[in-house]
Amino acid sequence: MSTLDSATATRSGKGHRDENFPVASHLIHPRHRGAILAFYDFVRAGDDVADHSALAPERKIELLDRLADALTGAGPSDPEAEPLRRELAARGLPPRHALELLDAFRMDARKNRYADWDELIHYCRYSAMPVGRFVLDVHGEDPARVYRASDAICAALQVINHLQDCGKDYAALDRVYLPQDCLDRHGATVAMLGEAKAPPQLRAATRELAQRCLDLLDEGAVLPDLIDDLRLSLEIAAIHRLAVVLSRGLLERDPLSEKVHHGKAAFALTALGGVAATLARRPFRGRTVRAAAQGIRS
């Protein structure tokens, strides 16, 4: 049996095609897909370390620190870090966003509960927002114009995943991302996450959080129109539309007992709707960009 002496040894086997949202789909130009997939694989390795049930928190931190050192060159090379290290060097990009993801995984190793929404969004600042920022940087987009809307979408995507996986996270890792004050407002308890079907109090809590995701997605809805790269704009539009549909589904469905995520056909049709809507608006994006620029200056 393999010993868990490296990030590679902890890999779950999960890949980018197993995610709830597209990762570097073929909408993305081929010249950028390699960098995004290298980033995903590095982040996936760190996530697998943080989620490994057989590792003690201290051991998780040690392996995550090794990944960070391999990426920055402060330590020995690691096969999980080397592809991203090469991509960053070739593009002249810093490792900042990947290192922030590792900070989130260190939080996961040490922290199992969240007191309120602000605390959860602080976690998303490290666990989700750097992903969008990296993709934008790879495409050379203007951070001042696009980061804010991207951050809102990425935070929503993260919380959607938390809601879909709330029962599994509790059962496998005793990890609860649903804020305690939200549970308290609705008379729900953490123990309810272990039931086969969510009681009404827990459903009320998940509905509140799903609505917060919709609010974030509304804040980020302008992002596809702010993006210069057409192919990236369409990718983001597809992801945004999928996230809206999932959030609405979480308003109606029980994540403990009902399937929330899309089947392949619905996934494709929903994404296509987002793409088509963005293409229809594309000739008029100039006014959106000017309005965003005015907002930055004011």
Side-chain angles (χ1 to χ4, degrees), residues 34-249:
I36 295 169
L37 290 174
F39 184 87
Y40 172 85
D41 287 341
F42 177 81
V43 170
R44 179 78 259 163
D47 200 16
D48 285 346
V49 169
D51 288 351
H52 204 289
S53 60
L55 291 175
E58 298 77 14
R59 183 60 171 159
K60 292 179 180 181
I61 301 297
E62 181 182 349
L63 293 178
L64 292 168
D65 288 346
R66 284 192 201 173
L67 281 175
D69 288 345
L71 186 63
T72 62
S77 176
D78 188 295
E80 304 296 347
E82 194 56 31
L84 179 57
R85 180 173 160 82
R86 288 196 301 267
E87 288 285 352
L88 294 175
R91 293 167 179 268
L93 293 174
R96 174 177 68 249
H97 302 311
L99 295 177
E100 287 181 341
L101 265 295
L102 294 183
D103 285 339
F105 302 144
R106 292 185 185 97
M107 289 185 217
D108 281 333
R110 299 184 176 109
K111 184 178 178 68
N112 283 16
R113 301 290 189 274
Y114 290 82
D116 53 34
W117 178 255
D118 287 345
E119 198 170 282
L120 181 59
I121 291 298
H122 174 75
Y123 171 75
C124 293
R125 167 62 186 86
Y126 293 91
S127 69
M129 296 179 192
V131 178
R133 293 181 177 195
F134 176 79
V135 173
L136 294 167
D137 287 357
V138 164
H139 284 80
E141 299 290 336
D142 178 6
R145 194 170 71 204
V146 297
Y147 270 12
R148 182 175 177 177
S150 173
D151 288 351
I153 292 175
C154 288
L157 299 181
Q158 180 72 88
V159 178
I160 289 166
N161 283 338
H162 290 334
L163 292 173
Q164 289 190 111
D165 295 338
C166 61
K168 181 176 68 175
D169 286 340
Y170 177 64
L173 299 164
D174 189 33
R175 191 181 291 161
V176 179
Y177 292 106
L178 279 62
Q180 186 62 51
D181 68 340
C182 177
L183 295 174
D184 292 343
R185 269 194 299 278
H186 299 285
T189 66
V190 166
M192 290 177 179
L193 291 167
E195 299 189 20
K197 184 176 180 179
Q201 300 94 324
L202 182 58
R203 286 291 296 113
T206 59
R207 279 195 296 270
E208 177 186 323
L209 296 171
Q211 182 58 56
R212 283 183 175 264
C213 290
L214 285 170
D215 294 342
L216 286 169
L217 291 167
D218 186 58
E219 181 182 341
V222 70
L223 183 59
D225 296 334
L226 299 178
I227 299 295
D228 289 330
D229 185 284
L230 174 60
R231 295 175 70 143
L232 176 61
S233 173
L234 299 181
E235 173 98 336
I236 292 170
I239 291 170
H240 183 271
R241 180 64 65 90
L242 290 164
V244 168
V245 171
L246 278 178
S247 296
R248 289 173 178 164

Side-chain angles (χ1 to χ4, degrees), residues 7-19:
T8 300
T10 69
R11 292 301 296 265
S12 65
K14 185 176 181 180
H16 70 277
R17 293 185 178 86
D18 302 310
E19 298 293 341

